[in-house]
Amino acid sequence: MKIKSRVLKRTLHSYSQYNERGFTLLEVLIAIAIFSVISMASFSIFQTVLNSDTVTKERTDRINELQRGFLIIERDMIQIARRSMRLNGEAPLGAFLHTDNESFSSGEKGIAFVRNGWTNPGLLLPRSDMQSVAYRLNDNVLERLHFNFVDAVLGEEPKVRPLITQVEKLDFEFYDGKKWQKTLEENTLPIAIAMEIDTTDYGVIRRQFLVAGDSLQDKSDANDGN
């Protein structure tokens, strides 16, 4: 019994000494290496998720910008009025559509017209429910311009609203009922207007808008009358 007791005591003493030694350097290094690999993998996954979220947000914001811009343009186009513009108290410009935009202080391609349907319930505001509107390309930004009064007074500056960014080129075409063309006859309106913008990210985007234009029957009647 004494021999067994001594053997047991030595065994317990040796086991206790082994436990008190802790981890070896190799074990610590292996543990650090495993932890580093897991940390790097977790960081890579986290960074990928953040980048994906950022890219998704940028694309969503861009699509919303395009949709909002074209919605505003469509609202104006479908309400084009058969009315000429008068700027700075001068005589009416004559045509219903202006595609040079010189009167709006822009050398870039653009379009200007008068539209109906500018909300003014009960004419409570001291202005008409018609509105002078223009679109132009300025520093790669498609802008909407308008005046508070349908006939701008001398010295009045238009209100400018940026609509679509990253636009490199702006162009228009007009449909007269037979074909698309770049120009219009004076004092006429097309049946549809096409707007093309060349963007840096999505390339060329073309939208076509119906307007209350002159029909072919109206033109033929006018020609017969002449």
Side-chain angles (χ1 to χ4, degrees):
M1 293 295 294
K2 290 182 179 180
I3 294 175
K4 290 183 179 181
S5 178
R6 289 175 182 176
V7 172
L8 181 59
K9 287 181 180 179
R10 289 177 182 177
T11 303
L12 292 175
H13 181 69
S14 299
Y15 181 75
S16 177
Q17 287 181 339
Y18 177 78
N19 285 341
E20 290 176 358
R21 287 186 305 167
F23 297 103
T24 64
L25 178 60
L26 180 60
E27 292 173 336
V28 173
L29 293 176
I30 293 174
I32 293 175
I34 295 174
F35 179 76
S36 299
V37 171
I38 295 175
S39 298
M40 291 180 62
S42 300
F43 178 77
S44 298
I45 295 174
F46 180 69
Q47 188 68 27
T48 301
V49 172
L50 285 181
N51 292 337
S52 299
D53 182 68
T54 301
V55 171
T56 301
K57 186 178 183 304
E58 290 176 353
R59 291 182 178 179
T60 301
D61 292 342
R62 176 62 170 166
I63 292 175
N64 289 338
E65 178 187 84
L66 291 169
Q67 290 179 338
R68 181 170 57 251
F70 281 120
L71 183 63
I72 294 173
I73 296 169
E74 182 180 23
R75 181 193 63 188
D76 289 338
M77 293 288 187
I78 63 177
Q79 298 188 91
I80 292 179
R82 298 178 56 86
R83 187 186 192 280
S84 59
M85 301 180 66
R86 186 194 301 268
L87 299 175
N88 294 323
E90 300 176 355
L93 297 180
F96 300 137
L97 292 176
H98 305 273
T99 55
D100 53 11
N101 250 16
E102 292 179 358
S103 300
F104 286 83
S105 302
S106 173
E108 300 280 359
K109 184 75 173 180
I111 191 170
F113 51 87
V114 175
R115 56 156 288 196
N116 292 302
W118 194 17
T119 304
N120 189 7
L123 298 178
L124 297 178
L125 300 176
R127 60 167 175 78
S128 170
D129 59 355
M130 304 184 77
Q131 184 182 44
S132 296
V133 176
Y135 289 92
R136 72 181 183 191
L137 183 62
N138 184 28
D139 292 333
N140 294 334
V141 178
L142 179 61
E143 298 177 336
R144 180 185 187 271
L145 299 85
H146 78 274
F147 289 100
N148 285 333
F149 303 99
V150 62
D151 294 324
V153 298
L154 182 64
E156 182 183 0
E157 294 293 331
K159 307 298 186 296
V160 181
R161 178 181 180 180
L163 287 183
I164 302 176
T165 58
Q166 304 180 48
V167 179
E168 298 179 346
K169 185 180 178 182
L170 173 65
D171 203 3
F172 298 94
E173 286 188 350
F174 309 97
Y175 185 68
D176 63 356
K178 291 183 178 180
K179 62 181 180 178
W180 289 98
Q181 53 191 6
K182 296 291 185 179
T183 59
L184 278 176
E185 297 179 10
E186 190 173 357
N187 295 328
T188 61
L189 284 177
I191 296 177
I193 299 176
M195 173 184 284
E196 281 189 3
I197 59 174
D198 190 355
T199 61
T200 57
D201 47 2
Y202 289 105
V204 177
I205 301 176
R206 180 185 175 98
R207 290 291 304 273
Q208 297 176 179
F209 308 98
L210 290 174
V211 299
D214 298 323
S215 66
L216 293 177
Q217 184 63 40
D218 292 339
K219 291 183 179 180
S220 62
D221 293 344
N223 293 332
D224 293 341
N226 293 333

